[in-house]
């Protein structure tokens, strides 16, 4: 350390005198650049996570850091106002919050609605509920109710990130009322209330741990314990615990409790005023802990909701954040200067805009929630986000928050130069026209199902539930799309989707190109083996009609994983219902273990031909799944590999929907042709 640095810092005694404030300044809340630096780290973590969750699996915890900071600052400001003026002016508080938050929010909503009306009109009706929920800051409850939570994928969802702003705004609405009542008792007794807030935080933490469901989350039927029923609606427990204001209040309350105990100016009057270096060590520990959490903690994976997160992870994140806040608000600590560096300061002061604008920009690039961005796309998105955020911060948020916009408007009205007024009139008229167009388009847009949803719904009409079949719950007409028309009625000699092949029928060889016929059937309830059976997830579900046309019985479902089908296939085997061939396409929705694959294939040891399809999806587990499937192809004479990951590149035309996984009509035909070529049907 240089002499100049020593002179600047002085001795500990000099530092104590320099930082010790007058009693009249005890309630002052100084500007704390270190908090903006902490905001910068939090928002960057969130943006990286939203781009590709595999880059930073726990980056979403940046939101919890925001919650703790918000609880701390809002409570600190309310206490300071009460001690300074003798009252809390709720009207002025809410007005300040509105001037801070609403302008950028409305600009973002305007941009999103305009973009959707112009370029994604098919999705306009779908985002209407999100827009209304955003305006009233109830997005978190809306997402819980409609089942489109934070981890949902497959849709154009440009407003899904607003759930956290809804939680904060609900806190801003209610907490000042609570604080106003508490402060009437007397500011001196407010510190005692902090312990009850900590108790409340612990209660919330325990409640989350108790309500948390360990294990996979599929749907109400497959994993009913992972869901709750409310007014005949199936509510995901993981989404409700993650999104609801009550369960996410822990970080806000923890920050509020800390504000009651740790006021930056008051700290410098007590024994801790000379403990800056020790507190810096706590900050370092907090930052390391937060880094480890963002690197290791998951929200929801194919195996289920993250155990660490829901069993104390939120509370631990909050406590680590408190350690950092203690240091960056301590005037004798170095942490505030380190985190308050110019780069972090720029990001932190614009963190609200960065959070607000980055997610819609991501969606405009990838079109479908859940699709990871490439590094090039991420870089482009960051440039666009930074530019829009800076423009919003300079020309919308700051002028309105500081009141300069009103001053400028009054000066413009008094100006004798007509040109600025004409420019503003033209710009205002253009914006008004766009607002009118967007509002009318949004209000009148039909609520349509997406092409992918329609495709999957059509696929369901061409499938058979094997679980119902083996349990005897099928009724006449349930065994496929084409079973109403038997070969004798249509003159078609190929095997229909409900065909039943006698056990003595010779097996199909992989190289065969001949068409195998089956005798006419007179019932849809199989009593003998089904010739050609296809089992899959939503990829196969979309192609189910095309497979059924080629004479296959298809059992495919959304979110299905291989492990779900083992008990069903065991019953299927025991009843002797396997025929010539089984086509398997599973693995898109989660990792396959070697033991699961072995158990699954063991149910089909006696099947002449088992066709295994590899998976095509930009998901972290796909490479390992495909390696297992390719290895299984080498084991046993009845295994045939159809490398869909490779062969899908040969599909002509527009074969995939926006997620790059599910099949458009051209892809469905190509998919079914590949399978039928192997089977020779």
């Amino acid at each position: 350390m240089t002499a100049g640095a020593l002179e600047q810092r002085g001795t500990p005694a000099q530092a104590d005198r320099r930082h010790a404030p007058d009693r009249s300044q005890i309630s002052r809340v100084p500007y704390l650049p270190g908090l903006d630096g902490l905001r910068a780290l939090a928002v960057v973590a969130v943006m990286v996570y939203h781009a590709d969750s595999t880059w930073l699996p726990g980056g979403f915890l940046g939101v919890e850091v925001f919650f703790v900071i918000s609880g701390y600052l809002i409570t600190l400001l309310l206490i300071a106002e009460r001690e300074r003026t003798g009252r809390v002016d709720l009207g002025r508080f809410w007005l300040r919050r509105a001037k801070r938050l609403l302008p950028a929010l409305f600009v973002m909503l305007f941009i999103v609605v305009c973009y959707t009306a112009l370029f994604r009109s098919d999705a306009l009706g779908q985002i209407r509920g999100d827009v209304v929920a955003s305006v009233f800051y109830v997005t978190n409850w809306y997402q819980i109710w409609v089942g489109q939570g934070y981890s949902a994928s497959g849709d154009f969802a440009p407003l899904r990130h607003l759930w956290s702003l809804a939680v904060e705004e609900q806190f801003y609405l209610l907490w000042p009322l609570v604080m106003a009542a508490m402060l009437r008792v007397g500011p001196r007794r407010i510190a005692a209330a902090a312990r009850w807030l900590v108790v409340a935080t612990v209660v919330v933490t325990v409640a989350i741990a108790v309500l948390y469901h360990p294990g996979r989350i599929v749907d109400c039927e497959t994993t009913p314990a992972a869901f709750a029923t409310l007014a005949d609606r199936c509510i995901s427990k993981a989404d409700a615990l993650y999104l609801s204001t009550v369960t996410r209040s822990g970080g806000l309350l923890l920050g509020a409790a800390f504000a009651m105990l740790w006021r930056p100016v008051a700290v410098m009057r007590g024994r801790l005023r000379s403990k800056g270096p020790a507190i810096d060590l706590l900050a370092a520990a907090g930052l390391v802990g937060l880094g480890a959490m963002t690197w290791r903690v998951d929200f929801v994976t194919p195996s289920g909701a993250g155990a660490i997160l829901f069993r104390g992870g939120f509370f631990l994140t909050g406590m680590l954040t408190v350690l950092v806040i203690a240091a960056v608000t301590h005037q004798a600590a170095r942490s505030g200067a380190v985190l308050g560096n110019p780069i972090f300061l720029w990001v932190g002061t614009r963190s609200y805009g960065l959070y607000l604008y980055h997610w819609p920009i991501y969606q405009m690039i990838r079109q479908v929630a859940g699709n990871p961005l490439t590094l090039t796309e991420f870089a482009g998105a960051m440039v666009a986000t930074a530019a829009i955020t800076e423009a919003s911060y300079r020309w919308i948020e700051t002028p309105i928050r500081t009141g300069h916009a009103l001053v400028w408007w009054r000066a413009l009205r008094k100006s004798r130069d007509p040109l600025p007024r004409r420019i503003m009139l033209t710009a205002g008229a253009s914006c008004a026209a766009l607002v009118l167009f967007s509002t009318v388009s949004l209000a009148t847009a039909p609520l349509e199902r997406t092409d992918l949803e329609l495709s999957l719904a059509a696929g369901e009409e061409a499938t058979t539930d094997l679980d119902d079949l083996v349990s005897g719950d099928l009724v006449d007409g349930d065994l496929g799309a084409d079973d109403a028309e038997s070969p004798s009625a249509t003159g078609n000699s190929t095997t229909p989707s409900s065909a039943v092949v006698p056990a003595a029928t010779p097996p199909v060889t992989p190289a065969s190109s001949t068409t195998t016929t089956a005798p006419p059937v007179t019932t849809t309830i199989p009593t003998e083996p089904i010739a050609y059976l296809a089992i899959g997830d939503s990829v196969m579900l979309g192609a189910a009609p095309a497979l059924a046309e080629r004479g296959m019985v298809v059992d495919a479902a959304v979110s299905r994983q291989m492990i779900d089908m083992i008990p069903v296939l065991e019953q299927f085997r025991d009843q002797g219902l396997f025929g010539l061939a089984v086509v398997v396409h599973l693995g898109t929705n989660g990792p396959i273990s070697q033991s699961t694959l072995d158990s699954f294939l063991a149910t089909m040891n006696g099947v002449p031909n088992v066709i295994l399809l590899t998976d095509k999806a930009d998901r972290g587990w796909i490479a390992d799944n495909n390696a297992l499937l390719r290895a299984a192809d080498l084991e046993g004479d009845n295994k045939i590999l159809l490398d869909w990951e490779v062969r899908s590149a040969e599909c002509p035309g527009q074969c995939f929907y926006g997620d790059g996984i599910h099949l458009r009509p051209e892809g469905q035909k190509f998919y079914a042709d590949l399978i039928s070529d192997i089977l020779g049907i």
Side-chain angles (χ1 to χ4, degrees):
M1 184 175 291
T2 64
L6 287 171
E7 183 179 357
Q8 183 179 5
R9 294 185 63 186
T11 65
Q14 291 171 333
D16 292 348
R17 290 193 298 271
R18 183 169 62 247
H19 291 300
D22 296 333
R23 176 171 293 276
S24 61
Q25 298 292 314
I26 197 67
S27 299
R28 181 172 57 87
V29 181
Y31 173 58
L32 303 167
L35 284 182
D36 281 326
L38 184 56
R39 284 194 185 100
L41 294 176
V43 76
V44 168
V46 171
M47 291 191 296
V48 171
Y49 173 80
H50 284 167
D52 187 339
S53 60
T54 63
W55 293 348
L56 196 63
F60 61 88
L61 289 172
V63 172
E64 189 70 5
V65 175
F66 273 116
F67 286 166
V68 179
I69 295 174
S70 293
Y72 178 78
L73 274 181
I74 293 304
T75 304
L76 199 63
L77 290 170
L78 291 171
I79 294 174
E81 182 179 358
R82 174 65 171 77
E83 293 186 357
R84 185 176 65 254
T85 67
R87 60 188 293 267
V88 174
D89 191 332
L90 296 177
R92 289 181 61 84
F93 172 85
W94 287 323
L95 178 62
R96 289 195 302 269
R97 289 292 90 199
K99 291 169 66 176
R100 172 71 180 91
L101 300 175
L102 293 182
L105 173 68
F106 289 153
V107 168
M108 187 274 294
L109 291 176
F110 170 69
I111 293 173
V112 166
V113 174
C114 282
Y115 171 86
T116 307
L118 293 172
F119 303 106
R120 289 294 305 270
S121 58
D122 59 310
L124 201 56
Q126 295 179 351
I127 72 166
R128 180 168 47 233
D130 295 279
V131 173
V132 174
S134 301
V135 170
F136 292 98
Y137 281 103
V138 291
T139 298
N140 60 325
W141 297 110
Y142 175 76
Q143 290 179 4
I144 293 171
W145 181 250
V146 300
Q148 288 296 318
Y150 191 53
S151 62
S153 60
D155 295 313
F156 177 69
L159 301 176
R160 185 170 291 167
H161 64 313
L162 296 183
W163 73 269
S164 64
L165 300 184
V167 171
E168 287 205 48
E169 188 64 19
Q170 291 161 35
F171 174 76
Y172 295 153
L173 181 64
L174 297 176
W175 187 243
L177 297 173
V178 176
M179 284 297 297
M182 292 172 62
L183 288 168
R184 288 182 180 178
V185 178
R188 294 180 178 273
R189 301 176 63 180
I190 198 68
R195 73 184 68 173
W196 296 110
L197 295 183
V198 175
V199 170
T201 303
V202 173
V203 169
V204 170
T205 302
V206 172
I208 292 173
V210 171
L211 295 173
Y212 155 76
H213 167 75
R216 294 189 308 121
I217 304 170
V218 182
D219 53 45
C220 279
E221 294 182 358
T222 308
T223 55
F227 294 83
T229 302
L230 179 63
D232 295 328
R233 299 186 73 91
C234 200
I235 306 297
S236 166
K237 290 181 180 179
D239 284 340
L241 293 175
Y242 189 88
L243 296 172
S244 80
T245 308
V246 176
T247 53
R248 294 309 298 271
S249 64
L252 293 160
L253 295 178
L254 199 59
F258 192 58
M260 295 175 179
L261 302 172
W262 188 273
R263 287 175 286 171
V265 176
V267 166
M268 300 312 298
R269 297 180 65 250
R271 297 177 180 178
L272 293 176
R273 62 182 179 271
S274 61
K275 302 298 183 181
I279 293 175
D280 280 329
L281 292 177
L282 293 179
L287 289 173
V288 170
L290 289 173
M293 294 282 287
T294 58
W295 188 254
R296 299 294 300 173
V297 175
D298 292 306
F299 171 32
V300 173
T301 69
S303 300
I308 296 177
L309 177 67
F310 289 95
R311 289 175 172 169
F314 291 122
F315 182 78
L316 179 57
T317 302
M319 291 301 297
L320 292 171
T321 304
V322 164
L323 294 181
V324 182
I325 291 176
V328 300
T329 57
H330 194 290
Q331 297 176 48
R334 299 288 297 169
S335 299
V338 172
L339 290 183
N341 67 78
I343 296 177
F344 282 20
L345 202 59
W346 186 92
V347 175
T349 53
R350 292 153 179 80
S351 58
Y352 174 64
L354 290 170
Y355 183 85
L356 203 61
Y357 294 110
H358 86 279
W359 178 264
I361 291 173
Y362 285 7
Q363 296 306 98
M364 293 173 189
I365 292 173
R366 60 190 172 195
Q367 296 297 310
V368 174
N371 279 7
L373 296 178
T374 66
L375 284 173
T376 301
E377 289 172 337
F378 176 63
M382 286 296 92
V383 171
T385 300
I388 294 175
T389 297
E390 181 64 19
S392 175
Y393 182 80
R394 284 179 177 269
W395 300 323
I396 297 172
E397 299 170 54
T398 301
I400 292 176
R401 184 179 71 251
T402 60
H404 291 166
L406 184 59
V407 173
W408 174 84
W409 175 251
R410 289 171 177 169
L412 181 65
R413 292 181 60 185
K414 295 178 180 179
S415 174
R416 297 181 179 180
D417 186 356
L419 182 59
R421 287 199 298 269
R422 290 175 182 173
I423 294 174
M424 287 303 302
L425 182 62
T426 302
S430 300
C431 289
L434 281 174
V435 169
L436 180 62
F437 163 74
S438 301
T439 303
V440 172
S441 299
L442 183 70
T444 59
L447 182 57
E448 299 176 343
R449 302 175 78 178
T450 65
D451 290 342
L452 175 55
E453 290 173 334
L454 292 173
S455 173
L456 296 180
E460 291 175 354
E461 297 297 321
T463 61
T464 297
D465 189 335
L466 296 187
D467 195 21
D468 289 341
L469 189 151
V470 297
S471 63
D473 292 337
L474 281 181
V475 296
D476 190 49
D478 280 350
L479 191 56
D482 302 327
D483 53 13
E485 298 180 355
S486 67
S488 60
T490 63
N492 184 359
S493 62
T494 59
T495 307
S497 63
S498 57
V500 178
V501 181
T505 303
V508 176
T509 59
S512 173
S513 60
T514 60
T515 300
T516 302
T517 61
V521 293
T522 58
T523 177
T524 60
I525 304 298
T527 58
E528 299 181 32
I530 295 177
Y532 305 112
L533 177 64
I535 302 168
D537 49 35
S538 56
V539 178
M540 181 180 283
L541 179 61
L547 294 171
E549 289 175 359
R550 290 158 174 78
M552 304 196 69
V553 173
V554 183
D555 183 5
V558 174
S559 299
R560 174 175 287 167
Q561 296 189 39
M562 185 175 287
I563 195 172
D564 297 325
M565 294 303 296
I566 294 175
V568 178
L569 294 185
E570 287 174 343
Q571 296 182 61
F572 208 76
R573 174 199 60 199
D574 295 343
Q575 296 183 24
L577 296 178
F578 284 123
L580 301 176
V582 179
V583 180
V584 179
H585 194 175
L586 294 166
T588 308
N589 298 302
I592 303 171
S593 68
Q594 184 66 61
S595 60
T596 295
L597 181 60
D598 291 343
S599 299
F600 181 84
L601 294 177
T603 65
M604 296 176 284
N605 282 339
V607 180
N609 300 282
V610 178
I611 293 89
L612 302 174
L613 277 75
T614 59
D615 302 300
K616 176 190 178 298
D618 193 356
R619 302 291 185 266
W621 54 84
I622 294 298
D624 291 339
N625 286 358
N626 287 345
L628 288 176
L629 293 169
R630 289 172 181 135
D633 178 43
L634 304 176
E635 302 172 1
D637 296 333
N638 68 334
K639 309 295 193 307
I640 305 166
L641 183 73
L642 173 51
D643 202 331
W644 175 243
E645 185 180 44
V646 175
R647 298 295 301 276
S648 61
E650 303 171 10
C651 183
Q654 293 185 336
C655 296
F656 295 92
Y657 288 106
D659 60 4
I661 300 173
H662 296 93
L663 299 168
R664 293 181 181 273
E666 298 95 326
Q668 295 166 12
K669 181 180 182 303
F670 178 78
Y671 180 92
D673 285 344
L674 287 179
I675 295 173
S676 62
D677 285 346
I678 293 177
L679 295 176
I681 58 175

